[in-house]
Amino acid sequence: MADDVEVISAVDFDDGTIGAWQPSGTQSFDYVPDDDGGLALAVVDRSADYVGIQSPAGLFDGYAAGDVLTFSMQVRLAPGTPASQARFVMKPEYTWIGNTAVTADAWTTVTGTYTVPDGATGRQAYLGTGNGTATYTYYVDDLTVTAPVSGTPGENASTLDPLSDTVDFPLGVAIDQRETVGAAADVLTRHFDQITAENHMKPDAWYAADHTFTPSAQATTLMNFAAANDLRVYGHVLVWHSQTPDWFFQRDDGTPLTSSEADKEILRERMRTHIFSIAEYLSGTWGSFGSDTNPLVAWDVVNEVVDDGSATADGLRRSPWYQVLGAEYIDLAFTYADEAFNDVYADPSTDRPVSLFINDYNTESGGKQDRYFALVSSLIERGIPVDGVGHQMHLNLGVPISQLDATLDRFAALPVVQAVTELDVPTGTPVTQPGLIEQGYYYRDAFRVFREHSADLYSVTVWGLTDGRSWRDDSGAPLLFDDALQAKYAFWGAADGELPATPESADSFQADVALDADVAGDLAWRQLPTIAVGDTARFQTRWTADHLTVYVDVDDASVDAGDAVALSVGDAELVVPRSGGDGSVPAVVTPRDGGYTVVLQAPLTGAVAGDVVDLDVRVTDGGDVVGWNREGTLGALTLVGPLGYLEVAETAQEPVIDAVVDPQWAQADVVPTDLQIEGTGGASAQVRTLWREDTLYVLMDVTDPVIDSTGSNPWTRDSVEIYVDAGNSKAGAYTALDSQIRIGADGAVTFGTGDAAAQAARLTSAVATTGTGYVVEAAISLAGTGGAGTFHGLDFQVNDASGGERTGIRNWANPTGLGYQFTSQWGVGQLVETPPVVVPDPSLTLSTDRVRIAGSVRVDLADFTPGQRVTVRTTWAPAPWLTLVTARTTVVVGAEGTASTTVRGLPLLLLGPYEISAVVDGAKVASAPLVVSLR
């Protein structure tokens, strides 16, 4: 444990007890061996999220408002248990801390922070788990709760130069009341001049359970905090399809509203009352809008109204608002908001003091951006009072910075201001030092774009203050400050400060590659692209619990005594000379034309998926040394699970894309979507793949007895997703050849990351329902990268939905659930050439070549296609110009390619030469002569 923290509680369970912690819920405990020779707690057959243990009463008493507590534990599911989530939960407000995906494959660190709020007493934390009331067993180890020691050395972010001083636009942050006290408040007021309520100004935050208008106490706290600290408030959100009470869309008797004129009027009035109630409350408490005492300056009036696909003619999401009012609801929301905030409750001396925004996500992505631009243009043309366009920008390191620039450029042509409303950029998991540095460069480049567009930007808002408070923390530390309120590289990047060079990083898939004489040619080294070491060498790795296998291929035509490959693995140094050395390092050196290949093994101890190994690979050519990293620097090798791999069979005839299973699919191998990413059980698919020329064919037979296509997001409807990395670059970030294709059970096609139009141009698809679910058939162009022996990144996903919400995700290859952001852990398919089929010529033989008049002859067929219908034709042929068919008999070829029949009697009444022939589809394919004589 670090010296700069106070340990509030620590339980390692090695003594077979839960220490001072207490049981929670109806539980049964056991203790199992951990990986360190001690014990771990087993919570047996939990059946609710709170079943496990909780902290002793009073443990957190005495900590002041604003103190930051850090919670941590190791969690693993019992063998065979589907993936779930684990977290700490703080009562009585039931705040989630460190919610993290966990599996049965390896121990996972679950960690997060909790900021003590004002007036906090009687707090207790319990261990929470996912998957509702499902019954399963989970293991817990090394549980700690710590707090920073007062006066800890080190530069707190509250002492740094203000980030807001580095930009010419207001800089905002999304918060709740936890950031209004203590050290968090100090950091916030130091670096930001605008706040947004992350959740407590959304529609459902304004109402009590009995439907009465009851503003959230948190909204009051945030408004008071802003007024006291001279901060602007950007409101979020007035009208949204999510986090809106169900009763908004119901009649008083609980039945759903329809699109009838009477029901439309009910919903119009509810929307107007909702908006006016908020305006009346905020102005009544803090003064008229535009006055010196009211900090509110803007609202997201409508949020996420644009559909993610192109299935709707007007490009709008079919939300509950739309289902009743149609597109009119957007116009009404702006009209009502303008009347309430800029007229009725506005300071008469001001002119429209509250700016009104439309807000949406993925606006930097092609097809959705087109629909968004068209909608905003239409609103402006119709005179709807929209002042600004909001771009959420929930990004990842794979989104090109150029897309941000192009987005702001495009909308700058419209007579509106723009805002970046919900910025965050996760690193991916696990979080590594190279990833954090790369994140710093991404924030640097993003903020450089924002500075270039300062004249057009109303504000830029970061969606959270510290990583542990972000809704995307399980995707990898997405914000500017860590949980100890220290500035990250992301902060220095946003400030356009100095950043260190980025160490290299890579993934290593789990596999045991036999270190035999043929190891250099093992399939494993062809399944993935190699990683460059300078200009003359390249490497790949695989790992097991006790060793790392490293393949290094070196271009070096001249043999020198100093030629060698060296590895740094943590503190260990291993060197393998080109000559093979003394055998102290397990290795095989294989000469080749123009160079050599080394495959060596480095020891590991108890390695598990999720571990990060410090690694460098260096190649010496005579006296010259090149390395994967700069001298003295080690890269980060993240250990991940096994690589999903399949062989894609070549088809001689492409299947018709009509969701009818053609005979060609019988030759395709089947892979299942067995990885449970979210939920328990649910829909799954059997997946077949074929290829021909430059096209990949995919058939997904989905078992899902109840089809639900009611969700307002395409991924919250029953659907499949096909991920294709054409050419298998495994670049991590999406490239132009990478596709995330989503095909709904209703046939609707949408696309995730990447250029939607380019992906659509490469796709043909069809869907049909079956007695057990539905079938999806697709043809996808490989854009010139196909052909026998080529490798391509692939994954297949099934989204299961119920009641308009996604309830389950199952994948074939990628266990992370982050395939929509990164391609690096997709599986791999190799296009396998169908061996040439040697088809022997069909033959026909007779039992004799001469028979007596009206006699008989046996006819034997061989080397025909099993199941084929063959006509055996008897023809009298005394001369080329004189022939007469005397008999025809049809036979069906058996499984061995053979058939027999007998010709006898009347067909053989004419004296002279005959021809007995086999005819298929009107063509003669084999024959034999016969002579009929008197004796």
Side-chain angles (χ1 to χ4, degrees):
M1 190 66 64
D3 295 333
D4 56 356
V5 298
E6 171 197 358
V7 179
I8 301 172
S9 181
V11 186
D12 61 15
F13 307 103
D14 287 346
D15 62 355
T17 75
I18 60 174
W21 285 59
Q22 304 166 355
S24 174
T26 303
Q27 37 38 54
S28 174
F29 294 151
D30 196 0
Y31 296 89
V32 297
D34 62 18
D35 289 345
D36 301 319
L39 297 176
L41 171 67
V43 180
V44 180
D45 292 341
R46 56 72 77 203
S47 57
D49 70 308
Y50 54 84
V51 172
I53 60 175
Q54 62 183 341
S55 61
L59 182 64
F60 308 118
D61 291 351
Y63 289 93
D67 285 347
V68 178
L69 311 182
T70 299
F71 291 75
S72 180
M73 61 179 167
Q74 298 291 313
V75 177
R76 186 171 187 169
L77 304 180
T81 304
S84 187
Q85 305 88 38
R87 54 192 167 264
F88 294 90
V89 182
M90 185 66 79
K91 299 187 293 185
E93 70 271 31
Y94 296 95
T95 300
W96 285 14
I97 305 167
N99 189 50
T100 304
V102 294
T103 71
D105 299 328
W107 288 98
T108 298
T109 300
V110 176
T111 186
T113 60
Y114 174 77
T115 303
V116 178
D118 260 333
T121 58
R123 289 313 197 253
Q124 273 188 294
Y126 67 82
L127 311 191
T129 48
N131 292 348
T133 58
T135 299
Y136 62 87
T137 297
Y138 68 96
Y139 308 143
V140 183
D141 204 6
D142 298 332
L143 185 156
T144 62
V145 186
T146 62
V149 173
S150 178
T152 295
E155 193 172 32
N156 185 279
S158 63
T159 67
L160 303 175
D161 290 340
L163 181 59
S164 57
D165 287 354
T166 71
V167 295
D168 294 328
F169 44 77
L171 189 62
V173 60
I175 64 168
D176 67 20
Q177 65 183 10
R178 286 172 284 182
E179 282 75 41
T180 64
V181 293
D186 294 339
V187 172
L188 188 161
T189 55
R190 180 73 173 177
H191 296 288
F192 300 94
D193 41 32
Q194 177 176 290
I195 62 170
T196 293
E198 183 177 10
N199 283 296
H200 296 287
M201 288 187 177
K202 290 175 178 175
D204 60 1
W206 298 100
Y207 297 93
D210 64 359
H211 306 181
T212 57
F213 183 79
T214 309
S216 164
Q218 291 229 27
T220 303
T221 297
L222 298 189
M223 288 289 289
N224 285 334
F225 178 73
N229 290 280
D230 196 25
L231 301 172
R232 303 183 348 153
V233 174
Y234 184 121
H236 177 79
V237 50
L238 293 175
V239 174
W240 191 24
H241 67 273
S242 183
Q243 289 182 246
T244 299
D246 291 340
W247 60 263
F248 264 48
F249 310 107
Q250 297 169 354
R251 302 185 189 96
D252 290 342
D253 63 3
T255 58
L257 296 176
T258 69
S259 58
S260 71
E261 190 53 46
D263 285 356
K264 284 183 177 181
E265 190 54 36
I266 292 173
L267 192 54
R268 290 188 192 107
E269 184 56 32
R270 279 189 186 151
M271 180 194 290
R272 188 179 189 280
T273 300
H274 167 67
I275 291 172
F276 269 74
S277 296
I278 295 171
E280 181 181 13
Y281 168 71
L282 294 177
S283 63
T285 309
W286 289 276
S288 300
F289 300 110
S291 67
D292 291 341
T293 58
N294 195 317
L296 188 122
V297 297
W299 269 107
D300 287 331
V301 176
V302 296
N303 191 45
E304 299 175 1
V305 302
V306 177
D307 196 65
D308 285 287
S310 55
T312 59
D314 58 9
L316 298 180
R317 178 193 298 273
R318 288 340 192 216
S319 69
W321 290 104
Y322 188 100
Q323 291 168 25
V324 177
L325 293 171
E328 174 196 11
Y329 85 92
I330 300 171
D331 297 14
L332 290 174
F334 277 100
T335 300
Y336 296 154
D338 193 48
E339 183 183 358
F341 291 94
N342 290 321
D343 182 10
V344 175
Y345 298 105
D347 188 315
S349 66
T350 61
D351 179 25
R352 304 190 73 254
V354 177
S355 297
L356 306 179
F357 281 80
I358 186 171
N359 190 46
D360 221 312
Y361 61 90
N362 285 356
T363 62
E364 66 280 356
S365 299
K368 184 160 187 179
Q369 183 184 109
D370 292 341
R371 295 187 290 278
Y372 196 40
F373 188 87
L375 172 60
V376 175
S377 299
S378 174
L379 293 171
I380 294 169
E381 290 169 5
R382 299 199 311 277
I384 304 303
V386 54
D387 299 302
V389 175
H391 308 283
Q392 290 186 12
M393 292 198 181
H394 291 298
L395 305 172
N396 62 71
L397 297 176
V399 177
I401 290 292
S402 60
Q403 288 185 205
L404 314 187
D405 190 32
T407 300
L408 296 175
D409 271 344
R410 184 177 188 185
F411 283 85
L414 298 177
V416 290
V417 294
Q418 299 184 74
V420 176
T421 56
E422 304 182 23
L423 178 66
D424 49 28
V425 189
T427 64
T429 55
V431 177
T432 64
Q433 186 75 351
L436 291 170
I437 296 173
E438 184 181 359
Q439 181 189 55
Y441 280 100
Y442 195 97
Y443 269 103
R444 182 199 68 178
D445 294 344
F447 268 78
R448 285 179 176 178
V449 168
F450 302 154
R451 290 183 179 93
E452 290 171 3
H453 290 272
S454 291
D456 302 321
L457 283 176
Y458 184 84
S459 62
V460 171
T461 294
V462 181
W463 205 246
L465 185 65
T466 59
D467 289 332
R469 291 275 290 106
S470 169
W471 71 292
R472 301 184 75 194
D473 189 38
D474 59 358
S475 295
L479 300 175
L480 303 180
F481 303 102
D482 67 19
D483 292 344
L485 295 169
Q486 303 295 306
K488 298 163 50 189
Y489 295 121
F491 171 87
W492 296 111
D496 216 13
E498 293 293 323
L499 294 169
T502 307
E504 300 292 344
S505 61
D507 289 337
S508 181
F509 287 92
Q510 185 176 10
D512 192 3
V513 183
L515 201 62
D516 56 27
D518 300 322
V519 67
D522 197 279
L523 172 65
W525 315 128
R526 293 186 289 120
Q527 291 173 330
L528 297 171
T530 51
I531 302 164
V533 180
D535 296 327
T536 58
R538 58 218 57 87
F539 79 98
Q540 262 199 63
T541 67
R542 295 293 191 276
W543 69 276
T544 67
D546 61 4
H547 65 265
L548 177 72
T549 304
V550 184
Y551 163 96
V552 186
D553 185 54
V554 183
D555 299 331
D556 184 1
S558 61
V559 179
D560 297 301
D563 291 350
V565 168
L567 288 188
S568 297
V569 183
D571 296 329
E573 295 288 331
L574 298 88
V575 179
V576 177
R578 185 172 186 169
S579 62
D582 60 6
S584 58
V585 177
V588 173
V589 180
T590 306
R592 63 168 177 80
D593 289 343
Y596 63 103
T597 299
V598 175
V599 182
L600 68 159
Q601 290 182 344
L604 299 175
T605 303
V608 296
D611 286 352
V612 178
V613 175
D614 295 329
L615 177 73
D616 195 27
V617 180
R618 299 180 302 282
V619 175
T620 302
D621 179 7
D624 298 326
V625 179
V626 294
W628 183 38
N629 287 269
R630 292 178 298 110
E631 185 176 358
T633 302
L634 298 181
L637 187 71
T638 300
L639 308 186
V640 300
L643 176 68
Y645 175 72
L646 62 85
E647 292 187 345
V648 182
E650 183 181 18
T651 178
Q653 177 65 46
E654 63 271 16
V656 177
I657 305 303
D658 55 4
V660 175
V661 182
D662 296 331
Q664 295 94 311
W665 288 110
Q667 65 187 302
D669 290 338
V670 178
V671 296
T673 57
D674 276 351
L675 292 177
Q676 190 83 46
I677 306 302
E678 183 179 301
T680 304
S684 63
Q686 298 291 304
V687 186
R688 291 176 169 84
T689 53
L690 294 169
W691 73 277
R692 179 172 171 76
E693 297 177 345
D694 197 40
T695 301
L696 173 72
Y697 299 95
V698 179
L699 182 75
M700 298 185 68
D701 186 358
V702 181
T703 300
D704 187 356
V706 180
I707 304 298
D708 179 26
S709 299
T710 63
S712 59
N713 295 307
W715 58 87
T716 61
R717 306 167 197 155
D718 282 329
S719 56
V720 303
E721 299 191 22
I722 303 171
Y723 296 88
V724 180
D725 171 12
N728 199 35
S729 69
K730 283 288 185 291
Y734 274 65
T735 70
L737 293 180
D738 298 324
S739 294
Q740 180 191 358
I741 301 163
R742 186 183 301 106
I743 305 172
D746 59 358
V749 177
T750 56
F751 302 93
T753 304
D755 185 327
Q759 294 182 74
R762 292 168 51 194
L763 172 70
T764 303
S765 64
V767 179
T769 56
T770 67
T772 56
Y774 59 101
V775 169
V776 175
E777 191 172 27
I780 303 159
S781 168
L782 294 173
T785 66
T790 59
F791 293 83
H792 305 274
L794 297 173
D795 204 2
F796 312 105
Q797 177 173 314
V798 179
N799 298 316
D800 193 18
S802 177
E805 298 294 333
R806 183 163 63 182
T807 57
I809 302 174
R810 299 182 82 173
N811 278 17
W812 166 58
N814 187 349
T816 68
L818 298 176
Y820 67 97
Q821 294 183 20
F822 305 104
T823 68
S824 51
Q825 290 195 49
W826 296 359
V828 172
Q830 181 184 13
L831 307 192
V832 179
E833 185 175 20
T834 301
V837 178
V838 179
V839 180
D841 291 333
S843 64
L844 180 152
T845 58
L846 304 177
S847 57
T848 179
D849 60 1
R850 179 179 292 271
V851 297
R852 291 170 50 182
I853 191 169
S856 66
V857 61
R858 178 184 170 85
V859 182
D860 292 309
L861 307 180
D863 298 326
F864 281 75
T865 302
Q868 203 168 39
R869 298 178 68 84
V870 181
T871 298
V872 177
R873 186 172 64 195
T874 303
T875 305
W876 178 59
W881 44 269
L882 178 60
T883 61
L884 176 66
V885 176
T886 62
R888 290 185 179 89
T889 300
T890 299
V891 296
V892 177
V893 178
E896 302 299 321
T898 61
S900 297
T901 188
T902 300
V903 181
R904 60 166 57 89
L906 291 177
L908 302 177
L909 283 175
L910 300 175
L911 297 174
Y914 281 72
E915 179 188 67
I916 310 297
S917 56
V919 178
V920 178
D921 295 331
K924 181 171 67 176
V925 297
S927 63
L930 179 70
V931 175
V932 175
S933 62
L934 290 174
R935 58 180 180 178

